[in-house]
Amino acid sequence: MKVLVVGSGGREHALAWKLAQSPKVQVVYVAPGNGGTALDKRLQNVPLTDPEVLAAFVEREGVAFTVVGPEAPLAAGIVDVFRARGLRIFGPTRAAAQLESSKDFAKAFMHRHGIPTAYYKTFASAADAHAYIDAQGAPIVIKADGLAAGKGVVVAMTLEEAHGAVDMMLADNKLGDAGARVVIEEFLEGEEASFIVMVDGKNVLALATSQDHKRLLDADAGPNTGGMGAYSPAPVVTPALHARALREIILPTVRGMEKDGIPFTGFLYAGLMIDPEGNLKTLEFNCRMGDPETQPIMARLKTDLVDVMEAAVDGKLDQIELDWDRRTALGVVMAAFDYPENPRRGDAITGIPAETDDAVTFHAGTTLQDGTLRTSGGRVLCVVGLADTVKAAQKNAYAAVEQIRFDGMQFRTDIGYRAIKR
Ligand code: AMP
Ligand code: GLY
């Protein structure tokens, strides 16, 4: 069978890599893909992004089903376009994707359905937002309502930063429409974890637990990024916490969406904040898998992903049980020069080791130009190591990282430190 993965990042490479391992699969198309998906003989890049054009391609090629990686095509309605043509696709509709594409929608939804989250208010007027910040004090968190490619959240430790964020979004319009409204919310403290499940409209299937590192520099210092590394499982998510996250956040969300007339299908990712007493709050929803969380998660999945996806598309997730490699998988992101500010493109990449049973490299911002692999985005690679302990998985990942070279490469040297401390 032929299947299609939409997207071009490390998450999509990992999904395509896993789908290609299925004996049922003849080819995995990746649209548009990257240098790594171009190099893998079982995968085939397709230079298309427009949903209607992709749907026509799927019809022409007889693609059995499509999996969507990133939020942008979901928020633009790719699932609606495919479904209208009777094509099988896994992801949320445009309306359901608002859980990620509008912070105000997500907060109002959580409020309405009693799902724990930080206290908040939404503003379109800069003057009102400034007055609210003065009344609340710092620290406080300012979030652009819309999708802003990771630039829409300012965790302000001072009033000055908070006012600056409001001016940037509401007065100076730096984020365009995405920042035309802002959500201002209470600052939460604790440890974050990513809780990712698959939803088929009714049934929920939890994936293995994971945790990522959002800050650029070691010891979680420096600016926020899309994620500099991730590992699975995440020991912070104990079995008790896992059950609470399902009961208090995921199930009420799935039921709430159904009740509101916009049933959720697709990957649902709740960013959790776990306070020192072990209580949970929802930081955010994503309507897709995490990147880089997907890379270690896929590295551990033993079940045939084709079976899982077909069950998901057909509303039969209750018939699937996932089988995981018991080892820890730990992924280190190698980023381009000047990421996240202004990542440089075009640097030649060498030394990526061949895949082994305990290390695999997924590509993100790479492109293959006349046989040379070059950087083409902020996060360039995610190098995943597998082993029986977090420490040994870390060692395997960094052993592979050490072999890879490109000018200006940046990576953290401490991915997994929280899990090792436990
Ligand atoms: P979000 O895109 O909403 O998850 O925000 C990005 C990052 O900002 C999160 O992963 C947290 O590290 C941080 N953050 C978001 N909301 C809060 C909050 N209410 N309190 C503290 N940190 C937050
Ligand atoms: N790693 C965080 C995200 O995918 O949103």
Side-chain angles (χ1 to χ4, degrees):
M1 108 185 18
K2 300 173 176 180
V3 302
L4 169 67
V5 175
V6 175
S8 64
R11 166 184 48 214
E12 290 76 35
H13 188 189
L15 288 168
W17 170 85
K18 188 67 213 170
L19 286 166
Q21 289 173 6
S22 170
K24 297 173 182 136
V25 163
Q26 168 195 346
V27 58
V28 181
Y29 293 115
V30 190
N34 59 37
T37 55
L39 282 167
D40 189 327
K41 298 271 174 297
R42 302 162 305 174
L43 315 180
Q44 194 176 318
N45 285 355
V46 181
L48 304 174
T49 49
D50 181 81
E52 298 281 355
V53 179
L54 273 170
F57 170 82
V58 159
E59 282 166 357
R60 201 164 60 238
E61 292 295 325
V63 168
F65 64 83
T66 299
V67 184
V68 187
E71 62 276 19
L74 294 166
I78 189 171
V79 169
D80 309 67
V81 168
F82 273 52
R83 286 204 187 139
R85 296 167 80 140
L87 300 172
R88 298 163 87 216
I89 186 164
F90 188 59
T93 59
R94 181 188 176 134
Q98 287 179 96
L99 275 182
E100 175 168 3
S101 66
S102 167
K103 300 264 188 209
D104 177 56
F105 175 92
K107 296 295 284 191
F109 172 85
M110 286 190 266
H111 196 72
R112 193 157 67 239
H113 295 285
I115 296 159
T117 188
Y119 186 75
Y120 83 108
K121 267 198 155 68
T122 302
F123 297 91
S125 141
D128 293 350
H130 286 305
Y132 181 73
I133 288 168
D134 283 329
Q136 295 294 311
I140 193 161
V141 181
I142 321 296
K143 300 184 175 183
D145 175 53
L147 294 179
K151 296 197 162 62
V153 175
V154 177
V155 180
M157 299 314 288
T158 64
L159 283 176
E160 203 182 339
E161 275 177 273
H163 288 302
V166 165
D167 283 336
M168 183 265 284
M169 295 177 198
L170 286 180
D172 304 337
N173 255 332
K174 285 270 162 46
L175 301 177
D177 278 354
R181 284 190 304 167
V182 300
V183 165
I184 302 186
E185 69 177 37
E186 166 198 5
F187 172 77
L188 300 175
E189 266 173 300
E191 187 168 346
E192 288 179 51
S194 313
F195 200 87
I196 308 174
V197 303
M198 295 175 74
V199 187
D200 65 10
K202 272 208 157 50
N203 305 296
V204 170
L205 182 67
L207 299 182
T209 60
S210 62
Q211 202 169 15
D212 80 341
H213 291 264
K214 291 231 166 56
R215 302 296 188 123
L216 181 69
L217 305 174
D218 282 6
D220 295 319
N224 252 317
T225 71
M228 292 300 289
Y231 48 94
S232 171
V236 64
V237 184
T238 58
L241 252 169
H242 193 276
R244 284 189 65 183
L246 274 176
R247 191 172 64 236
E248 296 173 17
I249 297 172
I250 300 293
L251 295 175
T253 300
V254 174
R255 302 241 166 80
M257 291 295 278
E258 216 181 335
K259 218 183 279 170
D260 291 353
I262 27 181
F264 191 92
T265 51
F267 293 104
L268 179 63
Y269 168 146
L272 307 179
M273 186 67 98
I274 304 159
D275 77 10
E277 285 84 53
N279 291 312
L280 290 177
K281 287 214 167 111
T282 318
L283 278 178
E284 62 163 344
F285 285 119
N286 295 316
C287 62
R288 51 169 175 83
M289 282 198 78
D291 190 340
E293 291 94 325
T294 305
Q295 292 85 315
I297 290 174
M298 284 301 126
R300 291 185 60 217
L301 181 63
K302 289 167 96 174
T303 314
D304 188 328
L305 187 56
V306 167
D307 295 340
V308 181
M309 284 300 166
E310 295 219 287
V313 172
D314 297 340
K316 294 180 178 162
L317 277 178
D318 54 330
Q319 296 176 15
I320 296 284
E321 234 174 282
L322 297 175
D323 191 14
W324 300 100
D325 190 327
R326 299 180 68 87
R327 295 177 297 170
T328 288
L330 182 143
V332 176
V333 167
M334 300 183 75
F337 178 77
D338 216 11
Y339 175 74
E341 282 306 306
N342 189 18
R344 185 169 72 200
R345 293 157 183 263
D347 291 307
I349 307 162
T350 58
I352 297 177
E355 180 182 332
T356 62
D357 180 53
D358 54 26
V360 51
T361 300
F362 296 111
H363 292 232
T366 73
T367 176
L368 196 58
Q369 281 173 356
D370 306 322
T372 302
L373 199 61
R374 294 190 183 277
T375 63
S376 65
R379 292 184 293 172
V380 176
L381 301 167
C382 179
V383 183
V384 177
L386 290 127
D388 288 332
T389 64
V390 186
K391 215 172 165 71
Q394 189 189 52
K395 192 161 160 263
N396 287 341
Y398 282 107
V401 166
E402 305 257 295
Q403 302 177 49
I404 301 172
R405 291 277 176 279
F406 53 92
D407 281 347
M409 64 188 188
Q410 311 184 59
F411 57 87
R412 283 181 57 162
T413 64
D414 65 347
I415 298 302
Y417 81 88
R418 285 179 193 276
I420 290 170
K421 251 189 353 211
R422 266 167 199 275

